[in-house]
Amino acid sequence: MTDAVQPTASRPLVDDDQLWLSVMNKMDETWAELVGQQVELERKNAELEGAHAFMAGVFDSMSDVLVACDTALRVVRTNQAAERLFPGGADGLVGRLLTELVDPHSPTTVADVANTIVRRQRLEDREFILAAAGGAMPFAVNGTVLYDGRGRPSGVVLAARPLGELRRAYTELDRAHRSLKDAQAQLVQAEKMASLGRLVAGVAHELNNPISFVYGNAHTLRRFTRRLEAYLAAVHADPRAADFARQRQDLRIDMVLSELDGALSGIVDGAERVRDIVADLRRFSSDRRTPGTIFDLADVARTALDWILATCGRPVTVHADLDGALDVDGHAGQMQQVIMNLVQNAVDAMEGSDSPTLDIAGTRRGGRVCLTIRDNGPGIAPEIMDRIFDPFFTTKPVGKGTGLGLAICYRMVTEHGGMLAASRHPAGGTTMTLDLPAFMPDDGPGNSGAEA
Ligand SMILES: Nc1ncnc2c1ncn2[C@@H]1O[C@H](COP(=O)(O)OP(=O)(O)O)[C@@H](O)[C@H]1O
Ligand SMILES: [Mg+2]
């Protein structure tokens, strides 16, 4: 053991004071330095915190799911989108293994991620199925390897975007493409209908001549029958009448004469029926550039009803209240087309009804003529009510509906100065209301609102 050095009592006091003072100065200096360093440290700390908060804000504002892992593929950092996606939320994610976040059926696996770190590659738009809180969900994932200060891989950051969104966008695009194609097909169909209209007009014109021929000749034959009867009566007054009478009996001339009239009536009836059909066809295809005429909307409505109901293939109960003249100035053919469309829509809507019923009523109030057509189908859903008059809007399958019916009706009706509206009947079904300016004889031409 060595002896401790004892302070020498002979050292002068002044030296001690000097030493003490210099120590104090040194301490002051050191203290000031420390304070300076502390201020600098705090400033840097505040900067760091700001940068950290900024990065965290950027991270969290991203809608993509971000997950950063170390090289052992253990989660070290996530953003809010990830916390919302995975079970466990904010606290449960850090420290978990990536395998726990990826669905076993994922087409891209955790091993693929490990490989990208080893090979120092990027993952680009790979499909992952992630084990989200609500169940497995497909994602498109991009992955980037992270490096430490010495350029060695330190982990990987994965950014995932729900494939659902991309798929939805793709489906939307696909749907738009298909509806464009449908629209094209429907335009072709509309053009076909227009040429059918022209054909109908041509056929009606061509049929009219032979029909009047048949009709006229049938009438002539009927007149001839009367003359023949008179002639035969005169012949039988002759002295040789006995011979004629026998022949008359043998040839059953009386039966022939009596049947002749019935046969002629049949021909006349048939010809009249064909003549009416031709007139209807003519009206149907009448060109809107030709001037309008005055017609009874009730007549037109009856024809339209007959045409549709005769071909719709199932019985429909009709309550028609179409008494009284509903005179309108315009194109009867177009209004017939409008009513046929409305009746056809009603019949389509009642396809599933047990007892399809149509109520059709016409009234004249002041200067307006109003026709309502009500069906007992399911009615028009409120959310599509303002779209049914749009061209190509249809809820019917391709091939059954073109979505052009109401659009064309609307155009024709407004061109006649009228209105067409749809409403849901309180007791169910749809009511279509056609409102047109009535023909006013005193007004003179042009005042009824129709544009010829
Ligand atoms: N009486 C009705 N009852 C129910 N829905 C109707 C009725 N009339 C029209 N609609 C709806 O309006 C749509 C458009 O009708 P429309 O323009 O005639 O085209 P389309 O009959 O070719 O579908 C129909 O698909 C249908 O959804
Ligand atoms: Mg229709």
Side-chain angles (χ1 to χ4, degrees), residues 176-196:
H177 179 233
R178 260 181 299 141
S179 81
L180 210 68
K181 269 183 22 191
D182 285 353
Q184 219 173 19
Q186 281 161 356
L187 273 173
V188 171
Q189 181 69 12
E191 180 48 40
K192 274 192 205 155
M193 289 305 291
S195 47
L196 185 69

Side-chain angles (χ1 to χ4, degrees), residues 36-343:
Q37 276 175 10
Q38 176 69 18
V39 169
E40 181 66 6
L41 214 63
E42 271 170 17
R43 195 182 57 76
K44 288 209 165 126
N45 209 17
E47 257 176 32
L48 212 64
E49 266 174 20
H52 187 262
F54 176 74
M55 284 310 294
V58 170
F59 248 57
D60 287 337
S61 69
M62 290 179 73
S63 59
D64 285 6
V65 169
L66 284 185
V67 175
C69 297
D70 58 16
T71 47
L73 295 183
R74 205 173 274 283
V75 176
V76 291
R77 177 103 202 235
T78 58
N79 68 348
Q80 281 181 1
E83 288 158 12
R84 280 194 296 272
L85 179 72
F86 293 110
D91 302 325
L93 273 179
V94 173
R96 281 173 71 187
L97 284 168
L98 187 63
T99 36
E100 297 171 47
L101 308 184
V102 178
D103 188 87
H105 302 295
S106 177
T108 310
T109 62
V110 173
D112 294 327
V113 179
N115 270 334
T116 57
I117 300 179
V118 174
R119 299 204 184 112
R120 304 184 176 211
Q121 287 169 335
R122 281 176 57 84
L123 275 179
E124 269 171 34
D125 262 341
R126 299 284 292 270
E127 189 176 345
F128 269 81
I129 296 178
L130 298 183
M137 267 175 76
F139 281 79
V141 175
N142 285 306
T144 310
V145 179
L146 296 170
Y147 297 94
D148 64 13
R150 283 188 282 172
R152 291 176 310 191
S154 64
V156 65
V157 57
L158 301 171
R161 173 166 296 181
L163 253 187
E165 262 174 41
L166 294 176
R167 282 222 175 109
R168 244 200 311 283
Y170 176 76
T171 315
E172 196 65 20
L173 207 70
D174 191 47
R175 208 175 58 85
H177 179 233
R178 260 181 299 141
S179 81
L180 210 68
K181 269 183 22 191
D182 285 353
Q184 219 173 19
Q186 281 161 356
L187 273 173
V188 171
Q189 181 69 12
E191 180 48 40
K192 274 192 205 155
M193 289 305 291
S195 47
L196 185 69
R198 289 191 286 275
L199 182 78
V200 161
V203 168
H205 182 78
E206 289 301 311
L207 271 180
N208 231 5
N209 273 339
I211 286 310
S212 53
F213 206 73
V214 172
Y215 194 59
N217 280 306
H219 274 293
T220 311
L221 273 179
R222 180 168 275 158
R223 277 205 321 278
F224 287 177
T225 312
R226 309 273 173 267
R227 279 199 227 165
L228 278 175
E229 276 170 348
Y231 175 70
L232 280 175
V235 166
H236 285 293
D238 192 88
R240 290 160 294 166
D243 279 353
F244 293 131
R246 200 166 0 94
Q247 269 196 33
R248 180 174 180 160
Q249 209 165 12
D250 289 349
L251 294 172
R252 296 161 75 197
I253 296 296
D254 289 308
M255 192 274 284
V256 167
L257 279 175
S258 67
E259 294 275 306
L260 205 57
D261 207 43
L264 283 171
S265 294
I267 292 177
V268 171
D269 284 354
E272 273 173 353
R273 176 92 194 93
V274 176
R275 188 192 54 190
D276 292 349
I277 294 172
V278 166
D280 287 344
L281 278 176
R282 269 219 154 126
R283 264 199 314 208
F284 182 73
S285 62
S286 73
D287 194 325
R288 64 180 209 89
R289 283 165 302 189
T290 58
T293 51
I294 295 144
F295 64 92
D296 183 357
L297 191 69
D299 272 348
V300 169
R302 272 187 225 106
T303 310
L305 258 180
D306 287 349
W307 280 28
I308 296 297
L309 297 184
T311 54
C312 79
R314 61 186 299 227
V316 174
T317 310
V318 179
H319 301 137
D321 180 7
L322 291 167
D323 299 332
L326 304 174
D327 283 350
V328 169
D329 184 359
H331 291 86
Q334 288 188 7
M335 288 310 110
Q336 183 177 324
Q337 214 171 329
V338 167
I339 299 167
M340 281 173 68
N341 268 325
L342 300 181
V343 173

Side-chain angles (χ1 to χ4, degrees), residues 304-388:
L305 258 180
D306 287 349
W307 280 28
I308 296 297
L309 297 184
T311 54
C312 79
R314 61 186 299 227
V316 174
T317 310
V318 179
H319 301 137
D321 180 7
L322 291 167
D323 299 332
L326 304 174
D327 283 350
V328 169
D329 184 359
H331 291 86
Q334 288 188 7
M335 288 310 110
Q336 183 177 324
Q337 214 171 329
V338 167
I339 299 167
M340 281 173 68
N341 268 325
L342 300 181
V343 173
Q344 184 63 57
N345 277 348
V347 168
D348 288 348
M350 296 189 295
E351 209 170 63
S353 303
D354 290 335
S355 52
T357 308
L358 259 186
D359 284 281
I360 178 161
T363 51
R364 178 172 174 160
R365 249 180 247 120
R368 309 294 292 186
V369 157
C370 179
L371 187 83
T372 54
I373 299 170
R374 186 193 154 199
D375 62 66
N376 66 346
I380 300 170
E383 59 272 21
I384 64 163
M385 196 52 117
D386 54 357
R387 295 172 62 199
I388 55 167

